[in-house]
Amino acid sequence: MKKIILLLAIALSFTSCKDAEKKDAESNQEITETKAQEDGVKLYALDGGTVKANMLEIFSQGDMYKGESKTFADAFYIIEHPKGRLLWDAGLAEGLVGQEPFTTPNGAFTVSRQDSVASQLAELKLTPQDFDYIALSHTHFDHSGSASKFANSTWLVQESEYGFITSEEQKKGDNYPAIAALTNVKKLNGDFDVFGDGTVVIKSMPGHTPGHQVLFLKLENAGSILLTGDLYHFQENRDNKGVPSFNYDVEATLKSMEIFEVLAKEENADVFIQHSKEDFNRLPKYPKYLD
């Protein structure tokens, strides 16, 4: 009988500990969410360069835009959260700073960059070492150019994107070197809540590349925001559901567009097309921020 009573006591003690741990976890979650609401999740937009699309027709599946050109913004973003700091995208390569605009060998793009990451971060009293995470919407050169500066951060990347960019074929190309130094990797398979409270959520939206992703933010005073990556490149692209000729998967892109628009409507989110100069100019630049 004593043995049975002892076993019951141990079981009850174990259960009480588990209940206490559960309550502590729930309490910590509530504290995190409250702190995020009180302190606010902050969004900074910085200048990652300029991209001129010399042959705009490549941003469609046919000859739409033939003979046209368009100049794109190339922003990157800092997201401040009470639990850490995330860099979203990394602009063009810093080797362009101080140089004449460079036109790609195929003539499709002319790129330039006026200011470095370090210089812009210094305005915020930050360095690349101050970032817990880096996440790229995808691994094309205009979004990953300065990523190597953040080698100490954890790279949040879809497993499909990681497999794509680290393939032997991609290692021979121009996009791989920018991410080669990012060895602290967290591979994702779908959506990922970065800080665990629903305020900073990476959303898987494949198609432009195998593991393309967009970023959903809940900002205390500015509501919900969606950063598009390259799901869309300019407003007409979004209006017409235009899919660039160089996208990895057309059908996956169209499906992602459908999911994106449902999310934007459900969350009443303000959509920022990352290559849109107009949308870039809507965002306060450093040292101001949206919160």
Side-chain angles (χ1 to χ4, degrees), residues 229-254:
D230 274 5
L231 183 63
Y232 306 112
H233 289 81
F234 46 97
Q235 187 60 46
E236 190 178 349
N237 230 199
R238 184 185 180 196
D239 295 340
N240 297 330
K241 291 185 169 56
V243 179
S245 60
F246 54 91
N247 271 31
Y248 183 80
D249 188 322
V250 174
E251 290 303 316
T253 301
L254 291 171

Side-chain angles (χ1 to χ4, degrees), residues 67-127:
E68 297 182 41
S69 63
K70 195 175 188 68
T71 300
F72 296 152
D74 196 17
F76 64 106
Y77 306 85
I78 298 170
I79 294 89
E80 295 265 11
H81 185 280
K83 291 179 67 177
R85 187 177 291 113
L86 165 72
L87 186 85
W88 178 256
D89 280 340
L92 290 159
E94 292 203 349
L96 293 167
V97 177
Q99 305 297 316
E100 291 296 314
F102 171 78
T103 300
T104 56
N106 63 1
F109 301 104
T110 298
V111 296
S112 61
R113 184 165 185 167
Q114 301 300 315
D115 205 354
S116 70
V117 166
S119 172
Q120 294 183 70
L121 291 183
E123 294 284 339
L124 296 168
K125 296 181 171 54
L126 294 173
T127 71

